[in-house]
Amino acid sequence: MTIDQIVLLMRGGILQVLKLTAPVLGSALIVGLLVAIFQATTSIQEQTLTFLPKLVIMLLILALLGGWMFTSLSGYTIQIFRLIPQFAS
């Protein structure tokens, strides 16, 4: 196994993680920002107010994109398993 192969595996893994987590984290970030703006304009400083909307939107995104996430992750895993014989030599 060469350094180039290791770098390609690491790069692929990092890109896969970023691709799978970006929709969930991005939506939580946007909802958190909207709730923070709402709290600032209404002077409501309840710390637990941001938790429920973020949880709901994250579950909704996971329900909508879960199939795509599973397909993407399983494709990457199959690709890694197919590379095992090349790494053994």
Side-chain angles (χ1 to χ4, degrees):
M1 180 178 257
T2 65
I3 298 295
D4 293 335
Q5 291 172 331
I6 295 171
V7 169
L8 285 175
L9 281 177
M10 293 300 292
R11 182 181 299 155
I14 290 170
L15 288 176
Q16 189 71 23
V17 168
L18 290 175
K19 185 170 72 169
L20 293 178
T21 58
V24 177
L25 295 178
S27 62
L29 177 72
I30 290 170
V31 168
L33 181 64
L34 292 175
V35 170
I37 290 171
F38 173 75
Q39 283 181 324
T41 57
T42 60
S43 298
I44 298 173
Q45 297 302 321
E46 180 63 34
Q47 296 296 326
T48 59
L49 184 62
T50 61
F51 180 72
L52 186 61
K54 281 184 189 179
L55 180 66
V56 169
I57 197 70
M58 288 170 63
L59 290 175
L60 182 66
I61 294 294
L62 284 174
L64 292 175
L65 298 179
W68 167 76
M69 290 178 176
F70 179 75
T71 303
S72 177
L73 190 59
S74 64
Y76 181 72
T77 304
I78 290 169
Q79 177 186 359
I80 295 295
F81 282 142
R82 286 187 180 151
L83 291 176
I84 289 175
Q86 292 177 1
F87 297 145
S89 59

